[in-house]
Amino acid sequence: MSAGKALAPGCVIHGPGDLRVEDVPVPRPGPGEALVAVRYGGVCGSDLHYWRHGGVGDFRLREPMLLGHEVVGTVVAYGSPDAPGPAAGTSVAVHPATPCGVCPECVDGRRNVCRDTRYLGSAARFPHVQGGFAARIVVPAEQLRALPAGLDPRRGALAEPLSVALHAVRRAGDLAGRHVLVTGAGPIGCLVVAAAKAAGAAHVTVTDLLPAALEYARAVGGDTLVRADDPGDSGWPVEVDAAIDASGVAAGLDTCLRLVRRGGAVVQLGMLPPGQSPFAGNLLVSREIELRGAFRFDGEFDDALLLLAAEPAFDALVGAVVPVRDAASAFELAADRSRSCKVLLDFGAAPAV
C-alpha cells in the first residue's frame, strides 16, 4: 500500500496524554483493499486507555499510532476490480479484525482469539496496526459490511462495541428467562444489557457507581439499577443465574462471583489492570462457578448491525458527536461518564486536501 499526495485529518496517539490531530497521507488501496471515507468513529475505552496510560492491559504503545476501531463510512474505491465488497458509494461499517485463518484457534472456529490477528488501532503487535480514526482509511475489502436499509450511520457506529457485548452474552450461555447481573454501566455494559434482553433475559440488574451511567442502562432495557457503593440498596438481588463483569475492576468481578447462583456462569468482559488481580477463587470451588473470559467477537458483527437496525433505543447511548478537529475535547468528554455514554468523532466535515 503506497501513500498518495492528498492529506486527511487523523487522531494519532504519541504517548500518555499526547493525542494529536494530524494531517496524514491518504493511502491508496492495493489488490483486495478498499478506500473508505470515514464518517463517524466511536471513542472506545481502549482508545481512552492509550490516551491516558499509553497502553491497554499488557499492550503498550511503542510508536505513534492512529487510534480507533469503531468506524462507519462510505466506500470510495477499490484497489482491484475483483475485490469483494459493497459497491462504491455504499454506507458501510468496518469489521476491525483480520484473523490469520491458519492458527489453531482460527481452525477451531475461535477467530476472535487468533494468535496472529490484525486489529485496527491496536498495539498488540509491532509495528502496530494503525486504526480507523482518519478521514480516509484503507482496509481489506472483506471487512466491509453494508449498513442495513434504514440504519443511520450514527447508530451504525455502535456495531463494534455491540458485537463485543453480543459475544460476552453468548459466552454466558442460554439466558432465556434468566436473571442476569451486569456490573459496570459504561458503553459496553449498557450494550451488554441490551444484548442480554435481546437474548431473552427476563430480568437484568445493573450496578455502577454513577447514577447517570445507570440511567443509560435503563434506556436500553435495564430492569433494576443499583448503586455499587450502596450495600443497603434494596435492589441488590439475592442471587442471579448469570453475571457479566463489564467494569474491568476486581470489585466488579467479586460482586459477580458472590451473587451468581451455584453452578452459574460468570463472564469477565472488562479488561482488568495489568498484572495479578485478586478474586474470590474459593467460590469457584465450593459453588462450582464457571468463570469465562470474553474477548472481542467474530460473526457477531453482522448480528449487531441487524439488531441496531431494528432497535432505535440504541440512539440514547450516543451522547455527543464532536468534529474530529476537536478530538481532545471529545476524549475528555468520553472519559467523564457523568456527562456522556458513547462519544462519536465526526469526520464528515473533514475532507481530504
Side-chain angles (χ1 to χ4, degrees), residues 23 25 50 60 84 99 114 129 144 148 157 170 194 203 265-266 277-278 311 322 337 344 352:
D23 287 325
Y50 283 122
R60 312 306 299 174
C114 167
V129 180
L144 302 182
R170 289 174 182 176
H203 195 96
V266 171
S277 296
E311 184 47 76
V322 181
R337 295 199 303 118
L344 303 184

Side-chain angles (χ1 to χ4, degrees), residues 39-64:
R39 180 57 199 271
Y40 298 114
V43 180
C44 177
S46 62
D47 298 318
L48 295 176
H49 275 287
Y50 283 122
W51 170 57
R52 285 168 157 172
H53 311 298
V56 177
D58 295 322
F59 306 150
R60 312 306 299 174
L61 197 68
R62 298 168 59 188
E63 64 177 347

Side-chain angles (χ1 to χ4, degrees), residues 26 37 45 59 67 76 81 95 103 108 114 144 185 196 214 248 259 291 342 349:
V26 173
F59 306 150
L67 290 173
V76 175
H95 192 306
C103 72
D108 195 36
C114 167
L144 302 182
L214 290 171
L259 292 183
L291 178 59
K342 175 58 68 174

Side-chain angles (χ1 to χ4, degrees), residues 10-257:
C11 297
V12 182
I13 188 70
H14 288 258
D18 189 3
L19 175 67
R20 309 177 197 177
V21 178
E22 303 175 354
D23 287 325
V24 298
V26 173
R28 293 176 178 169
E33 294 181 327
L35 176 65
V36 175
V38 173
R39 180 57 199 271
Y40 298 114
V43 180
C44 177
S46 62
D47 298 318
L48 295 176
H49 275 287
Y50 283 122
W51 170 57
R52 285 168 157 172
H53 311 298
V56 177
D58 295 322
F59 306 150
R60 312 306 299 174
L61 197 68
R62 298 168 59 188
E63 64 177 347
M65 182 179 73
L66 274 168
L67 290 173
H69 52 265
E70 303 176 6
V71 293
V72 294
T74 304
V75 179
V76 175
Y78 290 97
S80 56
D82 59 344
T90 302
S91 294
V92 294
V94 179
H95 192 306
T98 307
C100 73
V102 297
C103 72
E105 291 74 30
C106 284
V107 172
D108 195 36
R110 303 189 67 179
R111 304 196 318 163
N112 61 300
V113 289
C114 167
R115 63 184 64 189
D116 195 29
T117 194
R118 298 180 61 82
Y119 205 89
L120 292 180
S122 171
R125 58 191 298 157
F126 186 82
H128 302 332
V129 180
Q130 298 297 310
F133 280 176
R136 300 290 186 274
I137 62 172
V138 161
V139 295
E142 62 186 16
Q143 290 180 224
L144 302 182
R145 303 290 190 274
L147 296 187
L151 177 56
D152 184 278
R154 296 208 320 179
R155 197 189 311 162
L158 298 174
E160 194 275 351
L162 179 56
S163 301
V164 172
L166 288 172
H167 182 70
V169 163
R170 289 174 182 176
R171 291 283 290 157
D174 183 5
L175 298 185
R178 303 298 180 89
H179 187 170
V180 180
L181 171 68
V182 179
T183 52
I188 291 291
C190 288
L191 290 167
V192 168
V193 172
K197 295 295 271 189
H203 195 96
V204 178
T205 295
V206 192
T207 73
D208 199 280
L209 295 171
L210 298 177
L214 290 171
E215 287 305 314
Y216 283 114
R218 187 197 303 278
V220 289
D223 297 295
T224 300
L225 313 177
V226 181
R227 281 284 299 266
D229 57 351
D230 185 1
D233 192 319
S234 60
W236 284 102
V238 175
E239 71 174 17
V240 297
D241 298 301
I244 301 173
D245 175 55
S247 71
V249 297
L253 173 57
D254 185 76
T255 298
C256 290
L257 290 170

Side-chain angles (χ1 to χ4, degrees), residues 19 51 322-335 339 343 345:
L19 175 67
W51 170 57
V322 181
V324 63
R325 295 291 184 186
D326 297 328
S329 64
F331 273 62
E332 292 283 356
L333 181 60
R339 295 194 293 142
V343 174
L345 291 173

